[in-house]
Amino acid sequence: MAYILLYVDNIILAAFSADLRKSIIVILSSEFAMKDLGPLSYFLGIVVTRHAGGLFLSQNKYALEIIDRGGMSSCKPSPTPVDTKPKMSATSSTLYADPTLYRSLAGALQ
């Protein structure tokens, strides 16, 4: 059994045997230009760490990058990350200074 995860031009190939993995790589390489980057360590914002029992997946690095990009690295954590009593309205609040940054951060969280 083998699994191929494909996202745009990135591929993860996981197989239950090294021979199966190598044969799939040979077949794919005959049709597509490919590079084997070795064991998986980082993919689409997910850090992959190998353990005896399998793999550990973490998005801690990705979350820290988003926090840094939003200029919130020095902020203190809060048990409720949203103001439960909002003080904004569509008519009386000032516009967001950089809507592009806001949209980028919101998109990164999706």
Side-chain angles (χ1 to χ4, degrees):
M1 184 174 293
Y3 296 98
I4 297 177
L5 290 88
L6 177 64
Y7 182 79
V8 185
D9 62 349
N10 296 296
I11 298 174
I12 296 176
L13 172 60
F16 284 93
S17 75
D19 291 337
L20 176 59
R21 185 181 55 80
K22 288 176 187 174
S23 66
I24 292 171
I25 288 173
V26 167
I27 292 168
L28 289 173
S29 296
S30 69
E31 294 291 326
F32 307 100
M34 293 178 47
K35 268 190 219 177
D36 187 354
L37 300 176
L40 181 62
S41 60
Y42 190 77
F43 185 75
L44 297 176
I46 301 170
V47 175
V48 180
T49 308
R50 295 180 183 277
H51 294 273
L55 301 174
F56 178 74
L57 307 177
S58 170
Q59 287 189 297
N60 187 56
K61 179 181 177 195
Y62 184 67
L64 291 174
E65 288 172 0
I66 294 171
I67 290 168
D68 187 48
R69 205 166 75 207
M72 299 179 71
S73 297
S74 62
C75 293
K76 295 179 184 177
S78 172
T80 305
V82 190
D83 187 355
T84 56
K85 297 178 182 121
K87 299 159 191 73
M88 299 174 70
S89 79
T91 56
S92 65
S93 298
T94 57
L95 294 177
Y96 191 72
D98 185 359
T100 305
L101 175 61
Y102 176 80
R103 287 184 197 111
S104 169
L105 294 171
L109 292 172
Q110 290 179 344

